[in-house]
Amino acid sequence: MDRRHFIGQSAAAVGLLAGLSSQTKAANLQKAEILVIGGGYGGATAAKYLRLFSKNTARVTLIEPNTSFISCPMSNLVIGGSRNLAEITSPYDTLSKRHGIKIIQDSVSSIDPDKKTVTLASGKTLRYDKAVVSPGVSLNFKSVEGLAQANKDGITLQAWKAGPETVALHKQIAAMREGGTFAITIPEAPYRCPPGPYERACQVANYLKQHNPKGKVIILDANQDVTSKGALFKKVWAEQYAGIIEYRPKSNVVGVDAKTKTLKLEVEDDVKADVLNVLPQMAAGEIAIKSGLANSNGRWVNVNFLNFESTARKDIHVLGDAIQIAPLMPKSGHMANQHAKVAAAAIVAELSGWEVNPAPVLTNTCYSFVNDREVVHVASVHQYNAAEKTFKTVPGSGGLSPAPSTLEGVYAWGWAHNIWADSLG
């Protein structure tokens, strides 16, 4: 998929660009202060498209603590040793140099929705007319007894937020004794990136097959079955990783003994392994919970899907993995990119006195590497349903790969470079 095609798939973009051909009543828009909190797939895209959709007239500030963007999609390849972190890292400076976005390298410690202010960790307070909050997920280490300390000590690693732990986990796998065992645990859905843990198991198995052929991978899945691309993954495990990968569904991990590297399960016997990759339950990013935005079971943020405004607080728009998703809507980087475009279009429309697009459409594509070259994908299209006020998948849209292929590996890297350029370039 080339960049032009990729961008063209956003109905939000198409709808708004049509509006831009008319005279813009931009007084309110030009006066407004728009803060974007979080520079991931949702936040970076929202910041850029707020500028593009407003013909570079909106005042947009992006608040992000990290100096560079590191992509979670593709990071399993770093864990598997076939790629390095630099290959999935992009700078933020293009957003300021090319698009005029003010970037503040800091984190947000609190949001006051009544005063419409944001306080930074550095102590500075900023006013907003519109806030876009894209905080990703938080990991509930308390959901597994002993996990918080084990992870703090580096005995267990999550590596679910790409960065230093991604590299550290690969080093643990590479240093594992001959014939050792790697165990990955998966929490009950919803969690960030449904196929991600199964792809990770494939990457570790692929590494062991080449460097430690007597090594094993155990997948302890709290869910009833593989949550995404199930038939494809199971076929790969049988054909490429027989005797290496062992899959155990309905296996909910409730505790960790860091001294013996033992996982305690809710029902089954304990599992001991050499390398522990424990993924706990997930929720919206901490700032969303602290700010009272997580009004869906205290974990996720309910939004108006026409503009992604929080249903708890006016003029705060929440994107990406932090929201309570619509039916069959995955928590993925591609989907966060799409949320951002709908929200950016709606914000510009609201501040300009235009009608918000009443029928947005979202697309999703997710590639999974089953070894260092072969890939499978799933794709879907989601149309807003006005009667039910949610997104529903379009019948017959999207689909699954028939089988892994190296050609899809080329497509996967094309997708990655295109979405990085679309969000950050």
Side-chain angles (χ1 to χ4, degrees):
M1 183 186 298
D2 62 27
R3 185 179 179 191
R4 178 176 299 176
H5 186 200
F6 174 80
I7 295 173
Q9 284 195 338
S10 169
V14 172
L16 187 65
L17 289 172
L20 288 174
S21 63
S22 63
Q23 291 294 321
T24 304
K25 299 177 181 178
N28 290 335
L29 175 64
Q30 293 173 357
K31 292 178 182 175
E33 293 287 348
I34 306 175
L35 301 183
V36 179
I37 301 170
Y41 281 103
T45 305
K48 175 179 170 179
Y49 275 81
L50 281 162
R51 292 285 292 169
L52 291 179
F53 288 162
S54 68
K55 292 186 175 177
N56 298 323
T57 61
R59 293 194 289 192
V60 180
T61 300
L62 173 65
I63 304 167
E64 164 59 44
N66 296 310
T67 56
S68 300
F69 168 92
I70 303 176
S71 174
C72 284
M74 317 303 272
S75 67
N76 280 329
L77 296 176
V78 179
I79 291 171
S82 62
R83 296 284 180 165
N84 61 58
L85 208 61
E87 293 175 281
I88 60 171
T89 300
S90 304
Y92 282 112
D93 57 359
T94 302
L95 291 177
S96 55
K97 292 177 181 175
R98 183 175 296 168
H99 301 290
I101 297 164
K102 181 179 180 181
I103 298 178
I104 297 177
Q105 190 183 341
D106 205 335
S107 56
V108 173
S109 59
S110 65
I111 302 172
D112 187 331
D114 296 322
K115 295 180 179 176
K116 302 183 80 167
T117 58
V118 162
T119 300
L120 306 181
S122 60
K124 188 176 182 180
T125 297
L126 305 174
R127 184 187 66 80
Y128 69 81
D129 295 288
K130 288 281 191 180
V132 178
V133 180
S134 188
V137 295
S138 59
L139 304 177
N140 182 8
F141 290 105
K142 294 181 180 178
S143 64
V144 178
E145 184 180 3
L147 180 60
Q149 189 61 47
N151 215 74
K152 184 178 180 182
D153 294 340
I155 305 299
T156 64
L157 295 171
Q158 45 86 16
W160 211 237
K161 298 181 179 181
E165 284 202 23
T166 306
V167 176
L169 183 57
H170 171 70
K171 289 181 178 177
Q172 286 191 353
I173 295 164
M176 195 167 72
R177 68 179 173 85
E178 184 177 354
T181 299
F182 168 87
I184 181 171
T185 77
I186 306 171
E188 287 187 5
Y191 57 86
R192 165 182 276 178
C193 188
Y198 313 109
E199 178 192 52
R200 179 169 294 183
C202 290
Q203 289 305 307
V204 176
N206 184 58
Y207 178 86
L208 295 178
K209 194 173 179 179
Q210 299 173 55
H211 303 282
N212 189 349
K214 293 181 180 178
K216 307 290 183 188
V217 174
I218 298 178
I219 307 170
L220 299 169
D221 192 344
N223 297 286
Q224 297 287 315
D225 203 348
V226 177
T227 60
S228 178
K229 308 172 190 168
L232 287 166
F233 278 121
K234 289 179 179 177
K235 190 170 188 292
V236 167
W237 297 340
E239 293 180 352
Q240 299 190 26
Y241 304 120
I244 300 177
I245 289 182
E246 177 184 346
Y247 177 65
R248 300 185 188 179
K250 307 174 191 176
S251 296
N252 186 34
V253 173
V254 296
V256 175
D257 184 333
K259 290 183 179 178
T260 61
K261 292 190 175 180
T262 301
L263 300 171
K264 299 181 181 300
L265 283 84
E266 189 172 35
V267 177
E268 298 90 339
D269 292 337
D270 296 349
V271 172
K272 191 172 182 179
D274 299 275
V275 176
L276 305 177
N277 183 199
V278 182
L279 305 178
Q281 292 179 0
M282 300 180 196
E286 291 178 4
I287 191 62
I289 294 175
K290 284 173 59 179
S291 305
L293 300 173
N295 55 356
S296 178
N297 296 324
R299 289 179 66 188
W300 308 108
V301 179
N302 286 313
V303 297
N304 173 355
F305 283 115
L306 281 179
N307 62 2
F308 285 83
E309 185 178 45
S310 157
T311 61
R313 289 294 187 172
K314 186 172 173 52
D315 292 324
I316 297 179
H317 302 252
V318 184
L319 313 175
D321 297 340
I323 71 165
Q324 176 61 57
I325 51 177
L328 301 178
M329 175 186 284
K331 291 181 181 293
S332 70
H334 192 123
M335 187 55 75
N337 169 283
Q338 297 281 289
H339 293 174
K341 291 173 181 173
V342 172
I347 290 169
V348 171
E350 290 169 2
L351 292 173
S352 302
W354 302 339
E355 179 189 7
V356 172
N357 180 6
V361 179
L362 309 175
T363 63
N364 184 68
T365 303
C366 171
Y367 292 97
S368 298
F369 279 80
V370 298
N371 53 44
D372 55 352
R373 297 178 298 108
E374 294 182 313
V375 165
V376 294
H377 85 274
V378 62
S380 54
V381 180
H382 306 254
Q383 168 79 60
Y384 182 74
N385 183 301
E388 299 184 39
K389 297 182 178 179
T390 189
F391 280 95
K392 306 198 88 170
T393 53
V394 176
S397 67
L400 284 163
S401 305
S405 72
T406 54
L407 180 59
E408 288 218 38
V410 176
Y411 293 161
W413 276 108
W415 170 87
H417 287 290
N418 275 303
I419 197 168
W420 297 338
D422 187 50
S423 299
L424 299 147

